[in-house]
Amino acid sequence: MKGIFISIEGMDGSGKSTQIKYMKDFFEARGHSVLHTREPGGTAIGEKIRELVLNNDYQEMSDITEALLYAASRAQHVKEVIRPALNEGKIVLCDRYVDSSMVYQGSGRGLGYEAIKSINDFATSCLTPDLTILFDIEPQMSLQRINIGEEGDRLERETLDFHVKAHSAYMELANMYAERIKVIKANRVIEEIRGDVEQLLEKLLKGGM
Ligand code: ADP
Ligand code: TYD
């Protein structure tokens, strides 16, 4: 594959969408073709799964069903969108990928990393990002930023304890996969964060990650 696969991770409200826009500008200014996509979703089937998995009407959804739905959305996404884009030499910026499932389903729901890794290896044929940027923010601050209240989706409305667990899991994964996952402190002003991200991307383009 000729392209570059970058996943962007972090709690809701950590600033992923904000920074992805700048990342897209960064690559396009250097003449690269960029695909910006997201999970769950990114395909017609994936967007249907997104509606299902985030729907507040389905409080009875089992943890295993939830994990398999995220993996199913991802399988379609990899086959229909991500691999073809990489084969065309594009830079793929993916808002959440397997690490989100490790964190929210593996740790948050308590299904364990092993099980989540195994269904996702199957779903993606082990397609792993070249680089993962993790925006690190304290769970309290991220919840404040998104100010969810009654508006939040099924995952956002989880307890603070769930989000605290997810945050520790992100830190654990960053240690386990230190080569791939680069942590950027997200409790700073937007331009400072953007500068750090661009430094990482410069390095990646020079082949020095
Ligand atoms: P995510 O995609 O991770 O959920 P967003 O980029 O949508 O996060 O940001 C969530 C909210 O926080 C938005 O209102 C956004 O404008 C704001 N925001 C993003 N980055 C920062 C930052 N560095 N400082 C303060 N607010 C921010
Ligand atoms: P996201 O699109 O980031 O939400 P928003 O548009 O509200 O910022 O993700 C939706 C939710 O799905 C988010 O709370 C995290 C959760 N999620 C998982 O639990 N597992 C996964 O594998 C993925 C991709 C997302």
Side-chain angles (χ1 to χ4, degrees), residues 72-194:
S73 162
R74 188 163 294 131
Q76 188 66 27
H77 196 205
V78 165
K79 174 145 199 317
E80 190 181 324
V81 173
I82 300 180
R83 277 194 198 275
L86 291 172
N87 285 332
E88 287 167 21
K90 290 189 178 156
I91 309 251
V92 176
L93 302 179
C94 190
D95 188 342
R96 297 189 179 281
Y97 190 62
V98 176
D99 297 312
S100 281
S101 285
M102 296 286 271
V103 159
Y104 293 100
Q105 284 66 54
S107 176
R109 300 294 190 214
L111 295 176
Y113 293 148
E114 279 301 308
I116 299 302
K117 184 171 182 311
S118 143
I119 58 173
N120 278 283
D121 281 351
F122 179 54
T124 64
S125 309
C126 299
L127 179 69
T128 307
D130 299 295
L131 167 70
T132 298
I133 298 184
L134 169 56
F135 292 111
D136 175 26
I137 192 168
E138 296 72 29
Q140 288 85 347
M141 186 181 274
S142 73
L143 290 174
Q144 236 172 34
R145 274 199 199 159
I146 54 176
N147 190 18
I148 43 188
E150 289 301 300
E151 298 285 299
D153 63 41
R154 213 172 52 81
L155 268 285
E156 287 173 339
R157 281 164 69 168
E158 270 298 333
T159 59
L160 176 63
D161 181 53
F162 177 83
H163 292 281
V164 167
K165 253 203 257 177
H167 177 256
S168 326
Y170 264 132
M171 293 300 111
E172 210 166 75
L173 289 182
N175 278 322
M176 281 163 61
Y177 303 105
E179 283 289 293
R180 170 176 62 85
I181 303 181
K182 304 297 174 198
V183 181
I184 292 202
K185 285 267 170 224
N187 56 354
R188 297 177 297 153
V189 293
I190 289 176
E191 282 302 320
E192 243 179 76
I193 300 168
R194 177 183 185 173

Side-chain angles (χ1 to χ4, degrees), residues 2-135:
K2 300 170 290 185
I4 303 178
F5 182 21
I6 304 176
S7 65
I8 296 89
E9 293 282 353
M11 316 285 293
D12 288 319
S14 59
K16 296 183 298 301
S17 316
T18 307
Q19 296 296 330
I20 289 172
K21 290 198 191 89
Y22 295 137
M23 291 168 71
K24 187 164 187 285
D25 294 344
F26 171 94
F27 284 116
E28 286 178 346
R30 284 157 184 78
H32 295 277
S33 172
V34 176
L35 175 87
H36 171 196
T37 185
R38 69 163 183 185
E39 292 200 351
T43 62
I45 292 171
E47 292 296 330
K48 283 281 176 205
I49 296 175
R50 181 184 178 93
E51 272 173 45
L52 185 65
V53 78
L54 296 178
N55 192 326
N56 281 312
D57 292 342
Y58 301 127
Q59 296 301 326
E60 73 275 27
M61 187 179 293
S62 91
D63 295 343
I64 294 177
T65 304
E66 180 181 290
L68 290 169
L69 284 173
Y70 281 114
S73 162
R74 188 163 294 131
Q76 188 66 27
H77 196 205
V78 165
K79 174 145 199 317
E80 190 181 324
V81 173
I82 300 180
R83 277 194 198 275
L86 291 172
N87 285 332
E88 287 167 21
K90 290 189 178 156
I91 309 251
V92 176
L93 302 179
C94 190
D95 188 342
R96 297 189 179 281
Y97 190 62
V98 176
D99 297 312
S100 281
S101 285
M102 296 286 271
V103 159
Y104 293 100
Q105 284 66 54
S107 176
R109 300 294 190 214
L111 295 176
Y113 293 148
E114 279 301 308
I116 299 302
K117 184 171 182 311
S118 143
I119 58 173
N120 278 283
D121 281 351
F122 179 54
T124 64
S125 309
C126 299
L127 179 69
T128 307
D130 299 295
L131 167 70
T132 298
I133 298 184
L134 169 56
F135 292 111

